[in-house]
Amino acid sequence: MDHSEWMYTPPPLNFHDPRPRLRRSASLSSLDLRPVISRSRSPAAAPAGPANSPITTPRRRFWQRTDHNHSRIFGCPGEVNTAASSFTLSALHPFQRTTTTKDPLHHLHSTTSPPTAASSGALLLSSSYLLVHLVIPRMRTINMDGNTTENHNNNGYRSGLRAPRVHATTTSSIATTLQEITNSENNARAQATAIPSKRAYQFTAGGGMPQPEAKRKTLAEKAGEPLRSQLPAVAPAASSRLAGVKPTSIASLATAQPASNIPGASRNVASTNFGKSIGPGSRPPISSRAPTSMGFSQSVGGATKGPVRQRPATAMGNRVVEEESARPSQPQKKGWDVDGRLNEFETQFKVMKEAFDSTITDRKAWEESMELAKNKANELERDRQRLMEQNHELQSQIGSLHQDKQNMQQEQQKLILQMEAEERRHKYDIEDKLREHKHQVDEMKREFKAELDQLRREQREALEAMERRYRAELEDEQTKKSKEIQELRQKLGSEQEDLNLAILRKEREIQEMRSLVETLRSDLERELTFKGTLKSQLTEMSTAGLKMEDQMRGLKAKIEFLESDSKQQSDSFATMEARLQEALRVADEAKEKLIKEETERRVLFNKYQELKGNIRVMCRVRPVLSPSEGDAAMIGFPDEKTSAQIDVTGPEERTSLGAISRRVLPFEFDRVFPPAVHNEEVFGEISQLVQSALDGYNVCIFCYGQTGSGKTYTMSSPDGMIPRAVHMIYDTITKLKEKSWTYTMEGSFVEVYNEELHDLLTPGKELKRLEIRHDDVRKQTTVLNCKTVALDSPDKVEIMLGEAQRNRTVAATKANERSSRSHSVFILKLIGENSATHERCEGTLNLVDLAGSERLKHSQVEGERMRETQNINKSLACLGDVIEALGKGSSHIPYRNSKLTHLLQYSLGGNSKTLMFVMVSPLEAHLKETITSLRFATKVHNTHIGTAKSTKKLKGAAASGSSEY
Ligand SMILES: Nc1ncnc2c1ncn2[C@@H]1O[C@H](COP(=O)(O)OP(=O)(O)OP(=O)(O)O)[C@@H](O)[C@H]1O
């Protein structure tokens, strides 16, 4: 039997220095690990599998590193060159190229940098193959034959393998052979790594050697970094299957693997197990190696995990073999459970096969990730190029800007220098000018001083001359004035005499007038009696008419009774008929007489009014409202019978002898109302004027007096003159309907404030400019843009007054106490038509509440109030002027001097009836104003304003202006 045929002869190994592969691997940064082993492997091993298997190198390195572990499996510690076994198997076994990162035997590994699953699988495969084909037959041979040299099994099977060259038929002979190879390789490596290269230092695991400063990362490395984070997303299955594999980046794998797995790196570390175990001359005793669970020693970093324990004897008795190899002369006698082992290996083999399959899948995922990373790296490289170009451009721009900046700085320097020069020049100029100006000013000062002195002298002389002249003139004037005074005194004496005579004459006239009035009164009484008689006659006639009607009825009955009767009956019927006709005629005559009487009454009434005077003045004193108002003035009403006089005790006066006295000032008016009189009684006096307005007269009723004297109370209070007048007019209109008179009544309410007209019936926002228009033919005044309300019911008057009050209150917020600072005029137009007589009349009733009559000097006001007061005083003065001019019978009446007189033009004067109420405050504090008001009223009272004329005309005669009553 040729054992040489049976024995395994390893193919020629290429245990060259792994550094080229390492460098290649490192330079690729783990992106492509495949070419490593294909280039380093021996030609014999190369065809056995794909040349670009990515895990070949790690696996091979693993074999080289873990030879002792491998040998432990076979019970041939240190004897079997695992590298040789590995390459033998890689050349023979079909699974050699299968790669995986998952280690199915992970639980057996305890290294800090565990071998890849591929390397572990390959190890197991090769181990099992070696066991089946090399060791077991040989062991069988040993067991069966003792120390036989022939390779026979129990069945006489011959393996056909070449017999080992070593004569010994024990496993130790094989191990020895492999050991030789291993040793030679290790020696070669040791030699190659005696002086570690820079790269070797870099890859040294455990950090025993100093590390160079980290180089700047290439784009490929940078590309690899994000991949680390992407890995779980890209190949989660792979990462999950990589349990037990240290999670590192691809780049770090590229660098870490050599450090941990490649023989060159591990060999450079003298302290590693590998170095210790197979390094030249430093191999420690085998028994001291720390076995892993799989029997692999841990070479990375020299650290050995797990408890170091004595290697257990395997079932195959490897330990015995080991011991025997230590004592080669003693043959192994122990029996083996080969079948059990084989089954175990079969199982493991299946597991590993599955692991390889999954590893292939993972590998594809990794490759895709790497492809992505490459693309990313390329993109980044392009970006970097582009950024570099931009950077260059910006650099050049910065350079040009820098140049510009320098140029500008130079320019600036030049300008600064120029400016400084200019400044100096200006400074010198200014100094020169200042000196010059100073000189001129001094000169002018001197001149002015001289002129001033001259002027002063001249002025003094002129003043002295003027003084002299004025003194002379004053003396002349004094003599002249004293002469004039004497003349005036004489004149005054004669005028006083004339005046006394005139007074006497007037008194006589008054007496005559009074007697005339008495006569008229008696006429009126007679007329009234006559009217009463006529009324009684009318009553009698109507009674007679009724009687006659009764008689007629009786006669009719008689006629019916006597119908068929005689001629007597028909005669009596005719008589009755004639009497009836007579009675009807008498009734018509009585009615006509009644209308005639009414007309005559009007004529007589107006004649009486005219005789009383067309301007009448009445005085009213209001009561003291409360004691807090102050002391009451001393006011007396001496003529209780006629109620026409008021005596006011004037202020204290000092006589020429120094005595203080108070004069009683009597004032006489048409009527004086003491404080106790109510509005009703007052209205009784003015109702005749309201009747005149109905008869077609223009009537004006003023209230004049100082603020708080009771003007508004008299005019506009709920029972004042305005509401009463309107109510009276309604009543009269209703009664006159019997006499064929129909009336329309229109009201408007205006205010004169600061010589401007305002409509009190239109809210402030809608106010338009009011304009006064006069109709000279009709003697009527209209106010343009002024609201006119048809007063067809008594309620409307109250609504109208309320609205006017509201609008006045709104205006009062702008100008304080506006109501007492303006004149308000209530204008009532009355147009009547008689359907029987075809008469038409148009009268106007003006009820005026004048503004407070305080004098400016007393009121002590400023600003807006002063303007108001001036306007009030002006308008009141104008009113006085108009009345005075009317009294004098002047050809020109100054109506246009104020808005108020202009508005009341046709209600003041010849064609109108005027009544002035002078309102008096009862307080001592208002005494001066009271006297002033009473004096003004007296002046008005003494004025005779001609004869009032009614506007009553026959219809159709208005245009011709005829038929005036
Ligand atoms: N005859 C009177 N009987 C009772 N109270 C009166 C009488 N006359 C005036 N008063 C009261 O005196 C006060 C002042 O009267 P009123 O406002 O009418 O004065 P006026 O002259 O219109 O003042 P102004 O010019 O400021 O409008 C009011 O409170 C009013 O009620």
Side-chain angles (χ1 to χ4, degrees):
M1 184 174 288
D2 184 3
H3 288 284
S4 62
E5 285 178 30
W6 183 85
M7 289 297 286
Y8 166 72
T9 306
L13 296 173
N14 185 7
F15 290 151
H16 293 306
D17 185 1
R19 279 179 295 177
R21 294 195 304 267
L22 186 66
R23 276 195 293 276
R24 167 78 175 165
S25 172
S27 67
L28 285 171
S29 300
S30 81
L31 291 174
D32 188 0
L33 302 171
R34 287 171 294 182
V36 175
I37 193 67
S38 62
R39 286 180 196 151
S40 60
R41 291 181 62 180
S42 67
N52 56 354
S53 173
I55 61 158
T56 308
T57 301
R59 189 180 72 236
R60 189 178 182 293
R61 289 171 194 147
F62 174 76
W63 295 125
Q64 289 168 346
R65 187 168 53 81
T66 55
D67 50 351
H68 299 295
N69 300 330
H70 190 193
S71 62
R72 268 199 68 223
I73 295 168
F74 298 100
C76 304
E79 303 300 321
V80 177
N81 188 317
T82 54
S85 305
S86 151
F87 278 92
T88 306
L89 287 168
S90 63
L92 296 173
H93 202 280
F95 292 112
Q96 186 194 4
R97 298 290 177 263
T98 306
T99 58
T100 182
T101 52
K102 185 177 178 182
D103 187 358
L105 301 178
H106 171 70
H107 62 281
L108 298 172
H109 296 179
S110 59
T111 55
T112 52
S113 178
T116 63
S119 59
S120 304
L123 170 65
L124 284 169
L125 281 172
S126 52
S127 302
S128 57
Y129 195 84
L130 195 65
L131 184 73
V132 172
H133 293 283
L134 299 177
V135 182
I136 295 170
R138 188 63 187 159
M139 296 308 282
R140 281 176 180 160
T141 307
I142 293 164
N143 288 334
M144 297 296 290
D145 305 333
N147 56 357
T148 183
T149 56
E150 288 188 3
N151 188 14
H152 290 281
N153 56 21
N154 291 337
N155 301 325
Y157 170 78
R158 190 173 175 180
S159 69
L161 291 172
R162 194 162 51 86
R165 283 175 292 184
V166 182
H167 184 69
T169 57
T170 63
T171 55
S172 62
S173 64
I174 300 164
T176 307
T177 309
L178 294 172
Q179 182 64 43
E180 283 171 7
I181 297 163
T182 305
N183 287 343
S184 67
E185 185 196 13
N186 288 339
N187 290 340
R189 285 179 196 146
Q191 274 184 347
T193 57
I195 303 167
S197 69
K198 187 182 174 187
R199 176 67 72 181
Y201 277 119
Q202 192 174 338
F203 291 143
T204 300
M209 297 300 289
Q211 293 292 323
E213 194 176 312
K215 76 177 177 74
R216 186 175 174 183
K217 287 179 183 176
T218 64
L219 283 175
E221 285 166 342
K222 284 177 185 173
E225 282 171 353
L227 194 62
R228 202 182 309 174
S229 59
Q230 291 169 9
L231 277 175
V234 172
S239 61
S240 65
R241 281 192 297 274
L242 282 170
V245 178
K246 193 176 178 181
T248 53
S249 70
I250 297 171
S252 63
L253 278 173
T255 52
Q257 278 178 345
S260 60
N261 294 339
I262 56 175
S266 60
R267 277 195 308 271
N268 289 337
V269 184
S271 61
T272 59
N273 287 342
F274 187 83
K276 286 173 186 169
S277 61
I278 58 174
S282 60
R283 188 174 173 188
I286 292 165
S287 57
S288 67
R289 282 180 210 153
T292 64
S293 57
M294 280 286 289
F296 302 138
S297 70
Q298 298 176 357
S299 59
V300 178
T304 304
K305 289 192 175 177
V308 178
R309 61 183 185 272
Q310 194 178 15
R311 212 177 299 161
T314 65
M316 295 173 73
N318 283 0
R319 195 165 142 218
V320 178
V321 171
E322 188 182 7
E323 285 167 6
E324 280 178 2
S325 66
R327 298 187 304 272
S329 56
Q330 291 177 5
Q332 179 60 263
K333 299 289 184 190
K334 210 173 180 178
W336 288 20
D337 184 8
V338 176
D339 290 336
R341 282 269 176 183
L342 276 172
N343 288 337
E344 193 183 330
F345 278 125
E346 283 295 326
T347 314
Q348 288 177 354
F349 177 72
K350 278 177 191 166
V351 169
M352 283 179 62
K353 194 184 172 206
E354 286 167 10
F356 288 162
D357 291 343
S358 63
T359 306
I360 285 166
T361 317
D362 292 346
R363 178 186 154 231
K364 280 177 185 166
W366 280 101
E367 279 175 357
E368 282 168 12
S369 305
M370 281 190 286
E371 197 60 38
L372 279 172
K374 271 182 188 176
N375 292 338
K376 182 86 180 162
N378 290 336
E379 265 177 40
L380 288 167
E381 185 63 33
R382 279 195 297 277
D383 287 349
R384 190 182 70 82
Q385 287 294 339
R386 201 179 68 248
L387 288 169
M388 287 290 283
E389 284 166 12
Q390 285 177 0
N391 193 22
H392 281 308
E393 270 177 35
L394 289 169
Q395 288 283 358
S396 61
Q397 282 178 9
I398 288 166
S400 65
L401 286 169
H402 193 67
Q403 186 61 38
D404 289 351
K405 187 185 154 198
Q406 280 180 347
N407 292 341
M408 284 176 80
Q409 277 175 346
Q410 284 169 1
E411 285 283 321
Q412 195 185 5
Q413 284 297 331
K414 269 188 214 164
L415 284 169
I416 287 166
L417 289 171
Q418 279 178 9
M419 219 163 72
E420 283 172 356
E422 199 69 18
E423 249 177 40
R424 273 195 299 278
R425 198 165 55 76
H426 276 292
K427 198 176 159 191
Y428 297 145
D429 284 355
I430 286 164
E431 283 171 358
D432 290 346
K433 293 265 181 216
L434 275 173
R435 271 194 296 279
E436 204 176 308
H437 275 260
K438 201 178 169 191
H439 181 69
Q440 282 177 0
V441 166
D442 292 342
E443 196 69 31
M444 281 171 80
K445 268 184 188 171
R446 273 194 297 279
E447 282 174 14
F448 279 134
K449 204 176 171 190
E451 269 182 38
L452 200 68
D453 292 342
Q454 179 68 22
L455 281 170
R456 274 184 187 149
R457 269 196 303 278
E458 284 172 9
Q459 202 183 13
R460 213 167 24 243
E461 285 164 10
L463 276 172
E464 284 167 5
M466 272 172 74
E467 205 177 334
R468 279 193 297 276
R469 199 174 69 240
Y470 281 130
R471 270 205 188 116
E473 279 178 9
L474 201 66
E475 282 165 10
D476 291 349
E477 193 73 15
Q478 268 178 351
T479 40
K480 217 191 295 177
K481 287 284 170 194
S482 56
K483 275 182 198 166
E484 274 180 11
I485 286 166
Q486 277 180 354
E487 282 170 13
L488 279 170
R489 273 186 186 146
Q490 287 165 3
K491 205 176 166 184
L492 194 71
S494 61
E495 273 183 1
Q496 212 159 7
E497 283 172 11
D498 293 346
L499 208 65
N500 287 337
L501 286 171
I503 287 168
L504 286 170
R505 206 167 43 245
K506 283 276 174 194
E507 276 175 354
R508 270 199 303 279
E509 276 178 18
I510 287 168
Q511 287 299 327
E512 284 168 13
M513 291 291 283
R514 277 196 178 140
S515 61
L516 188 66
V517 166
E518 286 303 317
T519 321
L520 281 167
R521 256 192 199 144
S522 59
D523 286 351
L524 188 68
E525 277 165 13
R526 199 178 60 246
E527 285 294 327
L528 287 171
T529 321
F530 180 64
K531 192 180 163 188
T533 319
L534 279 172
K535 267 185 184 169
S536 61
Q537 277 179 1
L538 193 67
T539 321
E540 281 170 18
M541 291 293 281
S542 21
T543 321
L546 288 170
K547 273 183 190 170
M548 284 173 83
E549 273 179 14
D550 289 342
Q551 284 174 356
M552 263 178 72
R553 274 196 294 275
L555 284 169
K556 271 183 184 173
K558 272 185 182 177
I559 288 163
E560 280 172 8
F561 179 70
L562 300 169
E563 210 171 29
S564 59
D565 213 346
S566 63
K567 188 182 170 268
Q568 191 185 354
Q569 280 179 349
S570 54
D571 289 344
S572 70
F573 180 74
T575 314
M576 291 298 288
E577 180 77 32
R579 281 177 70 183
L580 181 66
Q581 289 300 326
E582 180 63 24
L584 287 171
R585 192 186 54 79
V586 170
D588 284 343
E589 275 177 10
K591 201 176 176 186
E592 269 177 32
K593 206 172 178 182
L594 200 65
I595 292 167
K596 218 183 231 174
E597 286 295 322
E598 171 64 24
T599 315
E600 276 177 18
R601 185 202 62 75
R602 288 192 178 208
V603 172
L604 284 170
F605 176 74
N606 285 309
K607 265 187 186 169
Y608 171 67
Q609 292 288 327
E610 282 164 21
L611 285 168
K612 275 177 101 177
N614 281 339
I615 181 154
R616 271 172 285 163
V617 180
M618 295 184 188
C619 175
R620 188 180 190 189
V621 183
R622 76 159 172 89
V624 177
L625 300 173
S626 74
S628 62
E629 281 197 302
D631 295 336
M634 287 189 280
I635 299 173
F637 306 94
D639 188 4
E640 278 188 21
K641 196 176 168 196
T642 56
S643 302
Q645 193 174 331
I646 176 171
D647 290 344
V648 179
T649 307
E652 288 181 349
E653 286 176 16
R654 193 179 287 275
T655 61
S656 54
L657 296 171
I660 293 171
S661 66
R662 294 184 74 168
R663 278 199 299 154
V664 175
L665 304 169
F667 296 95
E668 202 176 321
F669 300 105
D670 290 296
R671 180 78 198 261
V672 174
F673 299 103
V677 175
H678 295 289
N679 277 340
E680 191 181 1
E681 199 178 330
V682 175
F683 183 71
E685 278 296 321
I686 68 158
S687 61
Q688 294 160 351
L689 285 173
V690 177
Q691 180 64 51
S692 292
L694 273 169
D695 292 343
Y697 287 88
N698 287 334
V699 177
C700 191
I701 301 172
F702 292 107
C703 263
Y704 174 86
Q706 70 173 107
T707 300
S709 57
K711 299 185 296 293
T712 311
Y713 179 84
T714 303
M715 278 296 181
S716 309
S717 64
D719 70 335
M721 299 307 116
I722 295 173
R724 280 180 180 277
V726 176
H727 281 281
M728 180 199 153
I729 289 166
Y730 268 108
D731 292 344
T732 315
I733 285 171
T734 315
K735 282 179 192 165
L736 283 174
K737 273 182 187 167
E738 288 174 16
K739 294 169 189 173
S740 310
W741 281 100
T742 49
Y743 276 88
T744 54
M745 187 160 52
E746 288 175 355
S748 46
F749 213 151
V750 294
E751 178 190 58
V752 182
Y753 176 70
N754 276 341
E755 283 302 293
E756 276 181 19
L757 267 184
H758 300 282
D759 185 2
L760 285 177
L761 299 182
T762 308
K765 289 177 197 165
E766 300 165 21
L767 277 179
K768 288 180 188 168
R769 188 182 163 75
L770 304 185
E771 286 176 31
I772 299 164
R773 293 277 186 275
H774 294 304
D775 183 343
D776 286 335
V777 179
R778 285 165 51 228
K779 303 292 178 200
Q780 290 296 321
T781 304
T782 46
V783 183
L784 287 184
N785 299 323
C786 181
K787 189 176 174 184
T788 306
V789 179
L791 300 169
D792 43 18
S793 74
D795 302 339
K796 285 217 172 163
V797 178
E798 276 149 39
I799 295 166
M800 194 174 105
L801 289 176
E803 198 175 341
Q805 188 54 41
R806 271 196 302 282
N807 290 331
R808 216 172 183 192
T809 313
V810 171
T813 57
K814 294 173 195 163
N816 198 19
E817 295 180 55
R818 172 107 169 224
S819 66
S820 60
R821 317 299 296 165
S822 64
H823 313 296
S824 67
V825 185
F826 176 72
I827 304 164
L828 194 67
K829 277 199 187 299
L830 298 159
I831 302 159
E833 285 181 1
N834 192 314
S835 56
T837 60
H838 303 292
E839 287 173 301
R840 186 181 186 278
C841 64
E842 196 174 338
T844 309
L845 175 64
N846 297 288
L847 297 164
V848 186
D849 183 356
L850 290 172
S853 60
E854 303 90 289
R855 300 293 99 179
L856 186 61
K857 62 179 177 185
H858 291 151
S859 55
Q860 308 259 323
V861 291
E862 292 176 346
E864 186 63 20
R865 293 296 300 274
M866 191 163 94
R867 195 173 147 235
E868 281 176 358
T869 312
Q870 281 172 341
N871 281 320
I872 292 163
N873 290 342
K874 183 190 161 195
S875 60
L876 293 176
C878 282
L879 182 66
D881 293 345
V882 165
I883 291 167
E884 195 182 350
L886 285 167
K888 282 181 183 169
S890 304
S891 57
H892 172 69
I893 314 296
Y895 289 116
R896 288 183 176 260
N897 281 4
S898 81
K899 270 272 162 12
L900 180 71
T901 48
H902 191 212
L903 177 70
L904 301 171
Q905 183 169 331
Y906 291 121
S907 300
L908 293 169
N911 197 28
S912 66
K913 294 183 178 185
T914 307
L915 171 68
M916 177 188 273
F917 278 110
V918 56
M919 311 305 297
V920 171
S921 164
L923 303 174
E924 179 72 28
H926 299 152
L927 190 61
K928 277 187 181 171
E929 284 299 332
T930 301
I931 292 167
T932 310
S933 299
L934 289 170
R935 277 185 179 146
F936 178 77
T938 307
K939 197 176 166 189
V940 173
H941 187 236
N942 291 338
T943 307
H944 179 74
I945 306 183
T947 308
K949 285 179 185 171
S950 168
T951 57
K952 198 186 284 178
K953 291 179 177 108
L954 278 175
K955 263 192 193 170
S960 64
S962 61
S963 300
E964 232 175 46
Y965 283 81

